[in-house]
Structures are given as structure tokens and as C-alpha cells.
Amino acid sequence: CLWELLLRHSAHELDADIGVVISNHQDLRPVAETFGIPYHYVPIEPENKLDQEQKQLELLKDADLVILARYMQIVSANFLNHFPNKVINIHHSFLPAFKGGFPHKQAFDRGVKLIGATAHYTTLDLDDGPIIEQDVLHCTHRDEVSDLIRKGRILERNVLLKAIEAHLDDRVFVYKNRCVVFND
């Protein structure tokens, strides 16, 4: 997802200022550096989570939008209070099905005929925030988990980009736990 966002941004297809990439994975540093975006590695462990989250908040003090991709952590109420309806998570399944980790394996085990991706605003409840954008692809009994992951990555990139664009264009209205997204 990061490659896609930064490519679109460099091609002037995403009207946003990307000020920083913060990750709990070191492997994304070369991606950010390729595009000249400051990169900060902030590893998260249960014993340092609140301190690390405070570091993230300091780095994000001027941010209007936060994207969670591959983060795989539940953010605190304190973090979310700094960014109400401004933290978008990309989930690699068609929510509300297959919440949490390993959704492709869950989908494979159930023999689904569609896989999907969901971009939603982050809440304290895991993968349960207001849904901004979703999409699906057909799959068959011949697809292995690796096929579902590969197909899902394409969906994730497109769904996340559409959700970001809708948010940045002020086309998303949150009411209770639902989003109304106006056409562009």
C-alpha cells in the first residue's frame, strides 16, 4: 500500500502532503527514502506501547490524516482522541467478515467465493469502525491462501486510495457507526 500511495502522490494523482512515514517494521524505510519522505521506525511491544504511541503522536502533531497499513496494533483512546475520524485502517477482508489477523486463511477455510478489502475509520473496537470503502473479487476452490493474499493486495491498494481521496475531498460524513460517502 505504501508504494502505491507514494507512486500516486509523486504522479500528482493524490492531492495530499505526506509528511512522514512511521512504521513498526524496518523493511519500509527504503520505500519512504526512495520518495524523500522522512521515515521513523517505532517498534511496538506490549511493555512500551504507550511510550511508543506518545512518540508517534509527537511525530504526527501536524497531521490531518493517519493511515494504518500493516500496523496490526490496536491504538489507544488517547491516540484516537487526537484524530477523531481521521485514522483510516485498511483491512484485508470484506468486513464485517474475518476480523483480526489472518483473514485470508479464515476465508480459505470457509471456502468463500468472494474476497475483499475494507477501509474504515479506526475505533477502539478491532476492525469495527465506520466503513468508508470496500471492494471484492471472485475466487474459486482452486485458489490457495497465497492466491487470496495476492488478489487481496490489489484490492487493498485501490480501496485504501479511494478512501483517502474521499476523506481528503471532504466527501465522507460519519453518522453513528456508518459513513455516507458522496460521489466525486
Side-chain angles (χ1 to χ4, degrees), residues 12 22 29 33 36 38 49 58 73-74 85 90 98 114 121 124 129 131 133 149 157 162-163 170 173 182-183:
H12 307 287
I22 304 170
R29 180 180 300 279
E33 289 175 349
K49 184 171 181 153
E58 291 168 17
Q73 301 284 327
I74 297 174
N85 292 327
I90 182 66
F98 311 123
L114 294 171
Y121 287 117
L124 290 175
I131 294 171
E133 183 69 40
I149 291 170
R157 290 189 289 259
K162 286 180 181 179
D170 294 321
F173 176 73
F182 296 97
N183 294 335

Side-chain angles (χ1 to χ4, degrees), residues 50-102:
L50 293 178
D51 291 336
Q52 296 297 69
E53 205 170 80
Q54 190 58 43
K55 288 179 186 175
Q56 293 169 343
L57 286 170
E58 291 168 17
L59 292 166
L60 294 167
K61 67 181 181 295
D62 297 322
D64 294 322
L65 180 63
V66 176
I67 307 301
L68 301 179
R70 285 188 62 208
Y71 188 60
M72 304 301 286
Q73 301 284 327
I74 297 174
V75 294
S76 71
N78 179 51
F79 189 93
L80 292 174
N81 287 337
H82 282 83
F83 302 102
N85 292 327
K86 294 182 179 180
V87 179
I88 296 176
N89 182 48
I90 182 66
H91 184 71
H92 39 289
S93 82
F94 193 72
L95 292 174
F98 311 123
K99 293 181 181 181
F102 309 107

Side-chain angles (χ1 to χ4, degrees), residues 99-118:
K99 293 181 181 181
F102 309 107
H104 297 104
K105 173 77 167 85
Q106 295 175 54
F108 177 81
D109 290 345
R110 294 292 307 272
V112 300
K113 306 304 179 231
L114 294 171
I115 60 161
T118 303

